[in-house]
Amino acid sequence: MSQDRPTAAELIDAVREFIEKDVAPELSGQKAFHARVAANALTLAMRELRDGPATDAAARDRLRNLLGEEGDLETLNRRLAERIRVGEMDDRADATLDHLLKTAEDKLRIANPRHLPRAGLE
Amino acid sequence: MNEQLAAALSAALDRRLGPGHRIEDLTRLSGGASRETWRAVASDAAGARQAVILKRDPPDATGPAGGVDASLGVDRKTEHAAFRAAGGAGVPVPRTLFLAEPADGLGDGFVMEAIEGETIARKILREPEFAEARPLLARQCGAAAARIHAIDPATLPGLRRLDADAELAIYRRLLDRFEPPQPGFEFGLRWLQRHAPEDRPETVVHGDFRNGNIIVGPDGLRAVLDWELAHLGDPMSDLGWICVRSWRYGADQPVGGFGTREDLFAAYEEAGGAPVDPSIVHYWEVFGTLRWGVMCMMMGFGHLDGAHRSVEMAAIGRRSAETEYDFLRLIEDNGNKP
């Protein structure tokens, strides 16, 4: 890391705190709502900065196994999307679903962790 | 208050009901760039007051707001006809007053009575004043759905046919616009294409029948709103849609966050609906969950491509992850049968 502190994540956190503590209380109605949305978006971005790299690495490892191919994460994801689309993963639907569910869980831990623990789906 | 709109509204009432109408408390309720909902209190020459709703595409609308209704929705004339047909079939809906004509200067729209009650789903699910209403809602929604599906399609010639395959083709085209491709959504789409139930009956379908599009009072369901996605299709799609987890707003009960599938299905059948096959409703729940995910992506990309720059739209884009998780779980629960 060649940059100084506060890091990108720490700066984002400072802005989030500013919006929550100083800006939002001054607003009302839709602008107040949007201020909360903005603060939540920054919280999401911080989680992504923190956990994104490990999540991406795990997804890439799973994709290499599932597809039997090498490549970076974006290439492998494009390859999987294409193979699902043309039916080439139909005979390995369970393994595909297993990978996709793990990926979806990892995405939710960043996008909205509160959506995860409640099973909710019966 | 928008004086010009108030004047146009009172003049439109005068033309139909006699002179002397006045408009007070005109307030914009919601809507995007191309769709507006207004509430006002109208009083006639004798002083009788009535709360009314104007739903319209304004005369100077700049085009579709980018919502799903841009590709799927009906026009206001057809929505007005749907409200009337629904009322005639015994569905609780607001009484419509008139369809706007060009001379009214109101844009494409219609005016209906305002029904008192709550439409915000989170309040319906949490406020103490609806505590006695909540246990009634799944059954009341089941009965309302049965009546919707009994509407004579011949009374609504403006509705288009949309079966699962046709709607999936729309989502296929939309997904192709989003970069990079999403393997999870590709999997969901593929599953839905391969499991589409065959030989389904075709009825009038509300198309957006869920918590958030109903008016609820302390006594329960008062009205079914927002008929802009009405079409001819599989009636079970309405029952699947109201079960989609996104419409539970964090509450636990599967039907709109307020009730059980058993209550929904039983009341549906008791009100004259065809016998419910839960596996077909499950299909439509998977379908609806993916559908909402595609809409979230549309809003996120509407922000990214500049059509509708907004932090709210940007944040909604990331909510597609919730729907992706939910429909994959639903497919897994179903045994991911080949």
Side-chain angles (χ1 to χ4, degrees):
Chain A
M1 179 64 70
S2 60
Q3 302 301 321
D4 303 324
R5 292 184 70 188
T7 63
E10 287 162 344
L11 288 169
I12 292 174
D13 197 35
V15 177
R16 177 197 58 76
E17 208 171 304
F18 168 68
I19 292 173
E20 279 181 356
K21 288 195 179 154
D22 298 332
V23 178
E26 301 289 320
L27 304 174
S28 63
Q30 190 163 42
K31 284 202 167 65
F33 171 68
H34 282 167
R36 284 203 305 279
V37 171
N40 288 340
L42 294 179
T43 304
L44 186 161
M46 284 194 300
R47 285 194 298 263
E48 183 168 323
L49 285 173
R50 188 190 63 200
D51 300 336
T55 295
D56 286 356
R60 179 164 171 258
D61 285 347
R62 285 197 306 271
L63 282 163
R64 286 156 76 182
N65 281 328
L66 182 66
L67 297 170
E69 294 178 30
E70 293 299 319
D72 60 24
L73 179 61
E74 193 190 328
T75 306
L76 292 172
N77 256 332
R78 281 180 186 279
R79 201 60 197 117
L80 177 61
E82 183 185 304
R83 287 178 66 172
I84 291 169
R85 181 172 178 167
V86 299
E88 284 180 16
M89 301 308 284
D90 288 353
D91 57 352
R92 283 191 294 147
D94 284 343
T96 307
L97 181 58
D98 186 60
H99 159 71
L100 292 172
L101 263 171
K102 287 193 173 96
T103 307
E105 283 171 26
D106 282 347
K107 283 205 261 186
L108 266 187
R109 282 193 192 94
I110 288 170
N112 183 8
R114 282 186 309 171
H115 195 78
L116 268 174
R118 309 174 76 110
L121 297 159
E122 64 262 68
Chain B
M1 193 163 98
N2 182 326
E3 299 294 341
Q4 192 187 353
L5 181 58
L9 198 49
S10 60
L13 287 164
D14 286 351
R15 268 196 288 282
R16 288 167 179 84
L17 303 169
H21 285 87
R22 289 167 42 109
I23 294 294
E24 301 162 55
D25 301 334
L26 180 66
T27 323
R28 174 109 180 244
L29 293 183
S30 67
S34 70
R35 182 76 32 80
E36 296 178 359
T37 304
W38 296 80
R39 189 183 195 281
V41 176
S43 53
D44 64 15
R49 292 158 61 86
Q50 180 182 18
V52 298
I53 298 285
L54 165 68
K55 190 167 180 182
R56 69 166 188 165
D57 303 337
D60 54 355
T62 51
V68 71
D69 46 324
S71 54
L72 291 174
V74 300
D75 59 17
R76 303 287 67 72
K77 182 183 176 190
T78 303
E79 188 180 9
H80 173 257
F83 267 104
R84 293 178 68 88
V91 183
V93 286
R95 189 171 56 90
T96 58
L97 298 180
F98 65 88
L99 178 68
E101 291 162 12
D104 294 318
L106 293 169
D108 286 329
F110 57 91
V111 174
M112 57 187 166
E113 65 173 345
I115 292 183
E116 293 305 314
E118 187 57 65
T119 57
I120 297 171
R122 288 180 186 281
K123 291 188 179 174
I124 291 168
L125 292 171
R126 286 169 181 84
E127 295 292 325
E129 66 173 305
F130 304 115
E132 287 173 31
R134 285 190 284 272
L136 308 174
L137 288 172
R139 291 190 58 87
Q140 291 173 331
C141 286
R147 295 189 182 108
I148 292 168
H149 301 156
I151 295 172
D152 179 3
T155 61
L156 292 171
L159 297 190
R160 70 154 147 175
R161 306 174 67 166
L162 194 66
D163 63 10
D165 289 341
E167 197 171 338
L168 289 174
I170 293 170
Y171 301 143
R172 168 78 273 157
R173 288 197 297 278
L174 287 169
L175 285 173
D176 283 342
R177 288 177 14 200
F178 306 146
E179 274 289 317
Q182 292 278 352
F185 278 80
E186 292 295 334
F187 188 90
L189 192 68
R190 176 91 184 152
W191 189 91
L192 289 166
Q193 286 165 338
R194 281 156 58 83
H195 294 83
E198 290 178 1
D199 301 322
R200 296 296 304 147
E202 185 179 84
T203 68
V204 172
V205 164
H206 180 280
D208 201 2
F209 184 65
R210 62 173 173 88
N211 196 2
N213 285 337
I214 55 178
I215 299 179
V216 172
D219 50 339
L221 178 67
R222 288 184 176 172
V224 179
L225 301 176
D226 292 305
W227 291 74
E228 53 202 71
L229 296 176
H231 60 275
L232 303 178
D234 186 341
M236 292 302 102
S237 60
D238 277 340
L239 299 191
W241 184 240
I242 199 175
C243 294
V244 166
R245 189 180 172 194
S246 306
W247 314 135
R248 301 176 199 167
Y249 297 90
D252 287 328
Q253 299 264 37
V255 178
F258 47 62
T260 66
R261 292 188 181 85
E262 290 74 16
D263 276 356
L264 178 77
F265 299 167
Y268 182 81
E269 293 175 357
E270 283 164 25
V276 174
D277 177 345
S279 73
I280 293 179
V281 180
H282 176 274
Y283 172 84
W284 285 107
E285 188 176 334
V286 179
F287 193 110
T289 307
L290 181 135
R291 178 198 212 199
W292 176 235
V294 172
M295 293 183 207
C296 290
M297 290 165 79
M298 279 181 74
M299 288 186 258
F301 280 90
H303 165 81
L304 291 174
D305 67 21
H308 188 181
R309 293 290 291 179
S310 141
V311 68
E312 185 183 7
M313 294 298 117
I316 287 176
R318 289 293 285 264
R319 296 198 61 188
S320 66
E322 298 169 21
T323 70
E324 182 181 354
Y325 174 77
D326 290 344
F327 71 68
L328 291 171
R329 280 280 310 274
L330 284 166
I331 292 172
E332 183 189 46
D333 292 350
N334 198 48
N336 185 30
K337 58 182 187 225

